[in-house]
Amino acid sequence: MKKIIVAIDGHSSCGKSTLANDISHACGYLYISTGSMYRAVTLYFLRHDTDIKNPEAVKKALHNIDTDLRVIDGETFTFLNGENVETEIRGMPVSNLVSQVSAIPAVRTAMVAQQRKIGENKGVVMDGRDIGTVVFPEAELKIFLTSDPNIRAIRRYRELQQKGIIAALQDVEANLTQRDHLDSTRTNSPLAKASDAVLIDNTNISREEQLAMVLALMDCRMKEG
Ligand code: DC
């Protein structure tokens, strides 16, 4: 069976990782959450008081960072220099800084190189903000996901609650609005829909319907090639 690259981009908390996980389980594809990689770098900078305005300090820190995504019992966990940081990278301190960190050119260059290497052999579903536009502009299937902002905030709030992370709904909502603004307006690789991406608004469709739509699209793309 031919393997392809599925690139999923879209706003914060619109269910990209849920869709990517569902595709990964349905097709046996490797799932790469690029947001987790940017979050792990942000956590390292926070822990080491890295001055993100100082290019030399950033460059030095990047040399000491090894991020890695591991699947344990079917779930993906983010590791930073061998430590499982999956819960910590979802908290508000990282969420409040990650958009500034991911706008730094040196950070993007390092992450994009890793992401391209991981996707070399295809059979990958990758989610983020610039996957269809920058990381894999030649991906066979590109999805641009979106949904109603209020629904997104409530979903993220519930997700955090389930993970035992305490945050007020209004802080979660403010963080999403701010990140969407920063991510869409930055100079380097801003969040944008690739011209050949399929737009899916999942406000009023179920998880199962969304997966069925994407599996049908994958089937078409695999036959096209
Ligand atoms: O997918 P996420 O919400 O966990 O991503 C966290 C942040 O990382 C997001 O606000 C912007 C940044 N990001 C990025 O700039 N490029 C990507 N490909 C993925 C994430």
Side-chain angles (χ1 to χ4, degrees):
M1 181 70 115
K2 185 186 165 193
K3 294 210 165 195
I4 63 170
I5 293 178
V6 182
I8 305 175
D9 290 303
H11 297 104
S12 298
S13 295
C14 60
K16 297 185 294 298
S17 64
T18 301
L19 173 60
N21 244 314
D22 287 349
I23 296 170
S24 160
H25 286 134
C27 308
Y29 274 30
L30 181 66
Y31 164 42
I32 301 295
S33 157
T34 61
S36 301
M37 297 168 74
Y38 288 100
R39 285 174 180 271
V41 170
T42 304
L43 178 61
Y44 182 95
F45 286 2
L46 276 172
R47 283 182 175 175
H48 294 82
D49 280 329
T50 307
D51 176 3
I52 64 168
K53 299 238 166 0
N54 177 344
E56 275 312 308
V58 167
K59 198 172 146 199
K60 205 168 141 211
L62 283 170
H63 279 299
N64 295 324
I65 297 176
D66 177 47
T67 62
D68 151 38
L69 302 171
R70 297 185 201 166
V71 180
I72 302 169
D73 293 335
E75 253 192 274
T76 307
F77 295 88
T78 310
F79 280 71
L80 169 64
N81 293 337
E83 176 192 349
N84 183 342
V85 292
E86 186 55 40
T87 303
E88 205 173 344
I89 59 166
R90 307 289 153 199
M92 294 314 283
V94 169
S95 294
N96 286 332
L97 190 68
V98 66
S99 287
Q100 282 96 307
V101 168
S102 58
I104 301 171
V107 172
R108 299 209 74 80
T109 305
M111 294 301 111
V112 169
Q114 278 187 37
Q115 291 154 13
R116 289 193 177 136
K117 189 141 183 50
I118 297 168
E120 251 169 20
N121 298 322
K122 308 222 172 180
V124 164
V125 51
M126 201 174 274
D127 77 356
R129 305 293 187 288
D130 61 341
I131 312 304
T133 50
V134 174
V135 183
F136 291 117
E138 75 293 356
E140 288 84 353
L141 178 60
K142 300 178 188 176
I143 306 289
F144 191 89
L145 210 55
T146 190
S147 51
D148 178 89
N150 294 327
I151 303 275
R152 289 197 272 132
I154 291 167
R155 280 185 194 155
R156 174 57 62 113
Y157 174 71
R158 291 204 180 123
E159 204 178 283
L160 291 177
Q161 269 190 330
Q162 271 169 11
K163 290 186 176 175
I165 299 171
I166 315 283
L169 177 61
Q170 66 202 50
D171 291 343
V172 172
E173 205 160 4
N175 174 258
L176 293 190
T177 313
Q178 201 211 11
R179 278 199 293 134
D180 281 344
H181 174 71
L182 292 173
D183 298 343
S184 318
T185 55
R186 69 180 173 221
T187 325
N188 196 329
S189 313
L191 165 66
K193 178 186 167 301
S195 56
D196 53 350
V198 179
L199 177 73
I200 299 180
D201 181 335
N202 66 14
T203 310
N204 294 310
I205 57 172
S206 71
R207 181 171 171 176
E208 292 73 22
E209 285 168 322
Q210 170 178 264
L211 177 63
M213 275 166 81
V214 177
L215 292 181
L217 285 166
M218 284 177 73
D219 211 36
C220 289
R221 297 299 153 90
M222 285 191 272
K223 285 180 184 140
E224 277 168 13

